[in-house]
Amino acid sequence: MTVAWLYCRDETQTYSFGASKLTSEEARRIGKAISRIPEFLMQRQGFYPRGNGPRLRSDRPYHVALQDTYIRAHWDEIDALCRLNSLPLNATGEVIQSDGVWRVYEFTWQMDAILFWDRFEGRWLRGTEFHYPERPANLPSLKPLENWPKFNPRDTR
């Protein structure tokens, strides 16, 4: 999720004309301060790392499963939204057979996984079982796609 854009002048520019610009060191310090705001560091309650799973990687501990039929019907929209919002779309290759076929995606950051889970109606994974945490009240929404057709359930019949 992009929180802020910080612009600075090049190291080769000794003077800036017009509006004053930050040096790269000042921009780096401001960016570091923004990233340390407590709300951004806070872990969301109820959304735990997967723990143990057949394809668990320690650097990507958060796993979300999407139903295979949903993925096939909405792949273009899923791919476009993830690119627009800078959400990584890393499939583990794991398939879960439980009330249908589910495909698993892994995430490094908890907030990326929560946004993906919320937007695409996925299932949160703890171990090998689905976990149903409550949606946080202050969860931001993803940037919407411009000129994208709205989903109509009648079109699936």
Side-chain angles (χ1 to χ4, degrees):
M1 170 173 38
T2 304
V3 176
W5 290 96
L6 298 171
Y7 294 97
C8 63
R9 67 175 181 251
D10 239 350
E11 295 300 325
T12 59
Q13 286 180 307
T14 54
Y15 302 103
S16 89
F17 298 100
S20 61
K21 294 182 183 172
L22 300 171
T23 65
S24 60
E25 180 62 24
E26 291 170 333
R28 185 192 64 75
R29 279 189 271 140
I30 291 171
K32 200 171 191 179
I34 290 171
S35 70
R36 289 185 176 160
I37 294 174
E39 287 80 19
F40 296 133
L41 296 173
M42 177 181 68
Q43 292 286 344
R44 302 284 176 148
Q45 296 299 321
F47 295 92
Y48 303 103
R50 186 167 183 187
N52 58 359
R55 299 187 187 213
L56 181 68
R57 290 177 48 178
S58 59
D59 62 333
R60 295 181 182 157
Y62 301 103
H63 289 188
V64 177
L66 290 185
Q67 204 161 27
D68 188 55
T69 54
Y70 182 85
I71 295 169
R72 291 175 190 268
H74 300 94
W75 175 253
D76 293 334
E77 181 182 5
I78 293 170
D79 185 48
L81 266 171
C82 287
R83 285 175 192 260
L84 177 68
N85 291 283
S86 302
L87 284 179
L89 192 58
N90 302 318
T92 63
E94 182 180 357
V95 177
I96 296 175
Q97 303 268 347
S98 174
D99 295 326
V101 178
W102 298 80
R103 308 259 175 208
V104 180
Y105 294 89
E106 61 188 1
F107 297 89
T108 301
W109 304 108
Q110 185 190 45
M111 184 54 102
D112 289 345
I114 293 171
L115 291 171
F116 185 83
W117 163 83
D118 182 55
R119 174 59 181 85
F120 301 115
E121 302 167 10
R123 297 290 182 264
W124 197 263
L125 285 171
R126 287 191 72 189
T128 56
E129 297 182 3
F130 293 145
H131 179 63
Y132 300 95
E134 290 189 26
R135 183 183 189 279
N138 58 352
L139 189 65
S141 60
L142 296 175
K143 288 186 271 186
L145 292 170
E146 298 295 325
N147 302 323
W148 196 265
K150 300 286 185 212
F151 174 69
N152 187 352
R154 292 184 178 153
D155 293 341
T156 59
R157 292 182 190 167

